[in-house]
Amino acid sequence: AGDGATVVEPRRCDVCLKTSEQVAKLNRCCETTDTGRVVRYCSKACQAQDFKQHKAVCAKVQKRKAKGGKGGDGAGTVRGSAVTSSVAKGASEPKDDSATAEVINALADLFQEKMAIANQRKQDSNAMFIKGDYRGSLAKYREIESMMMLLSRKVESELEEVKSLANPEVTLENDAGARMAGSNETVMEALLQAVLVELIEALRMAGICCGRLKQSAEELTSLERALEICDKHGSAMSRVALLKVETLNAIGTHQMRYTSASDAVKTLEAARLAVVELKKEQVPGAERPEASCLTNLGTAYSKIGESTKALEVMARALEMKKRVGTPMEVGTTAINMAGLHRQNSDNDGALAMYEEALESVEKAEKEGDGNVELKKAALVNLHNMCEFELPVMTFNENDGGGNAAAAAREGGPTELAKEQLANYARAATYRAKLGQIVKGIGRSAPGCDCPICLDTMKGSEAPVLSDDHKAPPHETRVIVLPCLHFMHVECYAKSNRDQCPVCREAV
């Protein structure tokens, strides 16, 4: 019965979906008589797991073999991992309603089985992603992608046949108690949408992982494949339409990094207009992807020099994130907005946004959703702004600080000295928090020696005014680089500012 059967490469186990490249051997059970597809298993365990569903079709195949042909009564339907058309090759008798319902039940069973596996893969992948293991996360998403791609083809194949038949009302209830009710076609379309959502999300996240791994070509390929599926099905499926917005958002981010900000603006504006239409149709959940789109759109506008437009768009994004986003999403948007304020030399605005970002990240940490990279970015910027980037005073009568020095000699600190001292105190607080992160990666904390001049640097202790009411001398100021190496500001200024003097990481 296997002669002439069409084999789809790569061959896979019908239960765990491992390919012939991943296992030593795939054992053949039988060929389904209605599609010619060969059922294979990688182990006795997988075969035993599928036996309850597969035994009916396998018995029919053996019976037909004994009669000397592939012909049959045209009523064969498979539950479980081998879901096929119920019309045998060469048979003209249509599938009846009970057979159609059996196919839908089998598809639903298969979907639940594969979704249980996919959900575990997603949990593992998300944990890896948060820890920065993008390669491991990518591998998990590729497994989900392969699983959902095969399942989507099965569902689409059955859906095309169901559309040509009568569609009685049915109700389908899964093991979790969720219900899908309507005609056979309606239920099949709902099942297909659920599968496609998982497939698109796996492709999108795989693309993001590739981006973090600097694999730009692979990133764009994954995102374009996701967009292709969205374009094919999005007009009829609201959840797929929402994922199209998120995919366009990811493509726009890719364009900002590798092509041009102008292209990114066009792509992100298209995403924004798409979500506006979804909101008009009152599609639930449209505000979250809109907020993400606006965040990236603001960044793109800033890159083409439209800073006013960028701040306006980013402010709208932050407002939305506070309503519908997580603390981590609020923190990310606040970090981006702080960068825009710094570009416009608005120190007060930048400080406020960095502080809001830090507050949001620390809140996310308490909820178990922290991100050390985002926290580090907020702390480094806050520390450096308070330590040496904000306007500082001097006490040298020859460089314009004479009034301050005179006031100090008269027995009281100037207001400017108090303000500078307050900034140093804030920097010390941020330096202490950075010290905790540094200790976590086995690095020397603040208070060690400067790696350039080898003099001891100040640690996280609160600064105090000297006897003549002066703030600490500027020569003791400390800079923290993104790589979390600490050194004196003046020592760093004498070095190559394009890279860290210690680890050579680009600054």
Side-chain angles (χ1 to χ4, degrees):
D3 296 339
T6 301
V7 179
V8 180
E9 295 293 343
R11 296 176 178 178
R12 294 179 181 273
C13 170
D14 263 54
V15 176
C16 67
L17 299 183
K18 289 181 180 177
T19 66
S20 54
E21 299 175 353
Q22 296 174 304
V23 296
K25 184 179 180 181
L26 285 176
N27 297 307
R28 170 175 171 156
C29 177
C30 67
E31 176 187 327
T32 59
T33 58
D34 33 16
T35 65
R37 190 179 65 80
V38 177
V39 179
R40 292 182 172 86
Y41 301 106
C42 68
S43 65
K44 289 184 178 180
C46 282
Q47 185 177 19
Q49 182 179 336
D50 197 37
F51 179 69
K52 183 178 179 181
Q53 289 79 26
H54 180 60
K55 62 182 179 180
V57 71
C58 194
K60 290 180 181 179
V61 169
Q62 300 305 323
K63 184 177 180 180
R64 288 167 185 158
K65 274 186 176 182
K67 291 182 178 180
K70 290 187 179 182
D73 57 12
T77 307
V78 185
R79 292 179 59 88
S81 62
V83 181
T84 64
S85 169
S86 65
V87 181
K89 288 183 177 179
S92 58
E93 183 180 348
K95 185 189 300 181
D96 60 24
D97 294 340
S98 61
T100 302
E102 185 74 9
V103 169
I104 295 175
N105 280 318
L107 285 169
D109 289 345
L110 182 59
F111 175 67
Q112 291 172 46
E113 175 191 337
K114 300 309 177 188
M115 275 306 302
I117 299 172
N119 284 334
Q120 184 58 55
R121 299 272 198 285
K122 280 195 290 186
Q123 289 179 15
D124 296 342
S125 183
N126 290 340
M128 292 175 180
F129 190 92
I130 291 172
K131 293 178 181 177
D133 181 9
Y134 304 122
R135 197 171 300 280
S137 181
L138 173 61
K140 294 293 182 182
Y141 279 120
R142 289 301 189 203
E143 291 177 16
I144 299 172
E145 173 194 338
S146 177
M147 206 183 308
M148 292 298 122
M149 181 67 76
L150 288 174
L151 187 54
S152 68
R153 289 171 181 167
K154 290 181 178 182
V155 178
E156 282 189 279
S157 175
E158 290 295 341
L159 178 58
E160 287 304 311
E161 183 171 346
V162 167
K163 286 181 178 180
S164 65
L165 303 175
N167 283 305
E169 295 293 311
V170 295
T171 299
L172 185 65
E173 183 170 347
N174 64 23
D175 294 340
R179 297 168 65 87
M180 290 187 289
S183 66
N184 286 337
E185 183 177 340
T186 301
V187 171
M188 289 282 279
E189 286 176 342
L191 193 58
L192 177 60
Q193 178 172 211
V195 174
L196 291 176
V197 164
E198 296 299 326
L199 173 59
I200 294 166
E201 186 63 12
L203 283 166
R204 192 178 69 86
M205 287 304 301
I208 292 174
C209 289
C210 288
R212 297 295 177 92
L213 293 168
K214 310 299 182 185
Q215 300 172 359
S216 59
E218 291 83 353
E219 176 188 9
L220 187 59
T221 298
S222 287
L223 295 175
E224 287 179 340
R225 287 177 61 199
L227 186 60
E228 182 181 348
I229 298 171
C230 292
D231 286 335
K232 180 179 178 181
H233 299 280
S235 60
M237 299 179 177
S238 59
R239 291 171 65 196
V240 173
L242 283 173
L243 282 174
K244 178 178 179 179
V245 174
E246 295 187 13
T247 304
L248 284 171
N249 190 22
I251 291 175
T253 304
H254 174 92
Q255 290 170 328
M256 272 193 284
R257 291 198 308 270
Y258 299 108
T259 56
S260 74
S262 297
D263 290 340
V265 167
K266 293 177 183 177
T267 300
L268 293 168
E269 281 288 3
R272 185 185 66 81
L273 293 175
V275 82
V276 167
E277 291 301 315
L278 291 174
K279 290 175 73 176
K280 287 180 181 178
E281 298 171 9
Q282 298 183 335
V283 174
E287 203 168 26
R288 284 180 65 89
E290 182 182 15
S292 297
C293 174
L294 289 173
T295 299
N296 289 325
L297 186 57
T299 304
Y301 273 123
S302 71
K303 288 182 178 292
I304 61 175
E306 296 189 26
S307 57
T308 303
K309 181 74 171 177
L311 277 171
E312 175 190 335
V313 171
M314 197 75 78
R316 288 169 53 200
L318 184 60
E319 182 183 346
M320 286 186 187
K321 286 287 179 71
K322 289 179 179 179
R323 286 200 305 270
V324 300
T326 64
M328 187 58 63
E329 290 171 335
V330 173
T332 302
T333 304
I335 284 275
N336 292 332
M337 199 165 178
L340 293 179
H341 282 297
R342 293 189 75 176
Q343 288 179 18
N344 293 339
S345 301
D346 180 6
N347 288 329
D348 291 339
L351 276 174
M353 286 296 102
Y354 281 130
E355 286 171 347
E356 183 163 348
L358 180 59
E359 181 182 346
S360 296
V361 172
E362 289 179 337
K363 181 180 179 181
E365 276 185 334
K366 294 177 181 177
E367 297 175 357
D369 187 33
N371 185 309
V372 68
E373 291 299 317
L374 198 61
K375 183 177 182 179
K376 182 178 73 173
L379 284 170
V380 167
N381 281 286
L382 282 168
H383 172 272
N384 291 342
M385 288 190 74
C386 292
E387 180 79 353
F388 67 89
E389 291 184 17
L390 297 179
V392 295
M393 64 174 291
T394 65
F395 292 91
N396 187 334
E397 295 185 16
N398 296 322
D399 64 7
N403 291 333
R409 284 195 300 271
E410 291 171 3
T414 64
E415 290 302 317
L416 188 56
K418 291 179 181 179
E419 182 180 345
Q420 183 177 326
L421 189 66
N423 287 336
Y424 282 156
R426 290 169 68 186
T429 301
Y430 301 134
R431 196 158 53 245
K433 292 184 177 182
L434 282 167
Q436 295 174 359
I437 297 177
V438 167
K439 287 180 180 178
I441 59 176
R443 191 94 61 73
S444 298
C448 59
D449 295 339
C450 170
I452 298 177
C453 71
L454 303 182
D455 286 343
T456 302
M457 293 182 292
K458 59 185 177 181
S460 57
E461 68 278 358
V464 296
L465 290 172
S466 61
D467 293 339
D468 57 356
H469 306 293
K470 293 181 181 180
H474 300 154
E475 291 75 16
T476 65
R477 293 178 301 173
V478 173
I479 184 174
V480 185
L481 300 184
C483 55
L484 293 188
H485 280 114
F486 296 73
M487 61 200 68
H488 288 131
V489 173
E490 279 69 18
C491 294
Y492 174 68
K494 297 174 185 176
S495 67
N496 180 2
R497 295 193 183 190
D498 293 333
Q499 60 184 14
C500 172
V502 180
C503 67
R504 308 301 178 190
E505 180 177 313
V507 176

